[in-house]
Amino acid sequence: LRPALVLLSAKAAGELRPEHHVLAAVVELVHIATLVHDDVLDEADIRRRAATVNRLWGNEQAVLMGDFLYSHAFHLCSGLDSQFAARLVGQTAVTVCEGEMMQVAKRGCYELTEAEYLDFIHRKTAVLVEACCHLGARYAGADDDTIERLCTYGRGLGMAFQIIDDLLDLTGDESEVGKSLGRDVCERELTLPVIHYLCAAAAAERERLLTLLRGDGPQRHREIAALLRRSASIAYAQDAAREYIAAAGQALALLPPSPARDSLATMAEFVLARRQ
């Protein structure tokens, strides 16, 4: 997804250049590094339908692998004539780590607000997606307005992507999604449908969900998902994702028509429909 965003944003904004292939590799290396480290934090066993690095070789090797990938990404950046990419990718990586640390610090906080949750996912997911579009457009020679439109598109896409990802962690099928599910519940991290339910449900229903959230057992996320499906909270999160995709589409519509713009629009539709 992220390398494709670099290349498609470049084509939608101007001319594809050799630097874009380096940048596409850089953003994917950074993203994979975050996944390797996330799997350590979440004690996940499966990623992309395969055993995680930590499951195969342990946490020490996984942490070192993530560090290696980050280092290699910045090494590639240093070979570009302009240092803009290194600065943007560096700041983006800092923001991603901030988001992850903020979310970990709020584990088990059942008073978490929707605004706090949206701030977390903006930092840990949307900023990297936005950076992909920014890099693609800037290195294609786009003007500031075009860059801003593609950044707005990327930001909306990233927010929707993470909301849907969190929904899949609750309601998806592990064989279809291709990674370990129920990790948010196990780590006591609140996501949008849970936050909405805790705010909107009657006192007895809210207490039932809190009991499940505070409990133990590998099947808790299935019981929580069943509880949420009987409410409006799943639909609420889906609607929020649709709103972000609509905002992304509006920004994209301001760009000149092109096959690349059409592909970016299709990618936004995919984010809402994806099951993996």
Side-chain angles (χ1 to χ4, degrees):
L1 175 66
R2 289 153 190 83
L5 286 170
V6 173
L7 301 178
L8 288 171
S9 294
K11 289 183 176 182
E15 180 184 357
L16 191 64
R17 297 174 179 172
E19 294 96 322
H20 288 109
H21 299 99
V22 176
L23 294 168
V26 165
V27 297
E28 184 64 3
L29 287 170
V30 169
H31 177 57
I32 294 174
T34 67
L35 298 185
V36 172
H37 283 167
D38 278 353
D39 288 340
V40 173
L41 293 173
D42 296 342
E43 299 179 358
D45 293 326
I46 301 171
R47 169 76 68 176
R48 295 178 177 174
R49 296 187 176 82
T52 56
V53 177
N54 50 294
R55 179 182 173 185
L56 289 173
W57 296 298
N59 287 343
E60 290 182 352
Q61 288 283 47
V63 170
L64 291 170
M65 174 61 75
D67 292 345
F68 168 83
L69 292 168
Y70 273 127
S71 300
H72 193 49
F74 288 108
H75 175 70
L76 286 175
C77 275
S78 70
L80 297 172
D81 291 339
S82 166
Q83 290 305 301
F84 176 83
R87 290 194 297 270
L88 180 61
V89 172
Q91 182 56 57
T92 299
V94 168
T95 304
V96 169
C97 291
E98 286 175 348
E100 293 284 3
M101 289 189 292
M102 291 164 65
Q103 189 169 49
V104 168
K106 287 289 188 175
R107 283 177 176 171
C109 175
Y110 301 116
E111 304 303 321
L112 189 75
T113 66
E114 182 174 329
E116 288 176 306
Y117 164 80
L118 294 175
D119 185 35
F120 294 166
I121 68 170
H122 173 257
R123 291 171 184 270
K124 75 173 195 174
T125 301
V127 291
L128 181 56
V129 178
E130 179 181 344
C132 294
C133 299
H134 191 163
L135 290 168
R138 182 170 292 273
Y139 280 83
D143 59 39
D144 289 345
D145 286 344
T146 300
I147 292 171
E148 181 55 36
R149 287 163 189 161
L150 281 162
C151 285
T152 300
Y153 163 83
R155 191 160 53 249
L157 188 78
M159 294 294 287
F161 188 97
Q162 188 59 56
I163 290 170
I164 296 299
D165 204 65
D166 291 342
L167 278 169
L168 290 173
D169 188 70
L170 273 171
T171 64
D173 184 307
E174 194 165 288
S175 63
E176 187 176 10
V177 177
K179 66 177 182 178
S180 300
L181 298 181
R183 304 311 307 172
D184 294 330
V185 170
C186 290
E187 298 295 343
R188 293 175 170 78
E189 291 180 352
L190 270 61
T191 54
L192 188 54
V194 175
I195 293 168
H196 178 265
Y197 189 96
L198 290 173
C199 290
E205 295 169 329
R206 185 178 189 275
E207 193 57 39
R208 170 60 179 156
L209 178 56
L210 286 172
T211 299
L212 288 169
L213 289 169
R214 291 169 176 149
D216 291 307
Q219 298 304 312
R220 277 187 307 135
H221 81 281
R222 299 190 186 281
E223 294 180 60
I224 292 171
L227 196 63
L228 294 174
R229 283 195 183 99
R230 294 193 294 270
S231 73
S233 296
I234 298 293
Y236 179 84
Q238 291 170 333
D239 287 344
R242 289 190 191 97
E243 288 178 10
Y244 280 112
I245 290 300
Q250 290 171 3
L252 200 61
L254 297 172
L255 298 179
S258 69
R261 191 189 74 168
D262 293 344
S263 292
L264 289 170
T266 300
M267 193 175 289
E269 294 170 6
F270 161 76
V271 165
L272 291 178
R274 73 187 185 95
R275 293 292 178 269
Q276 60 182 23

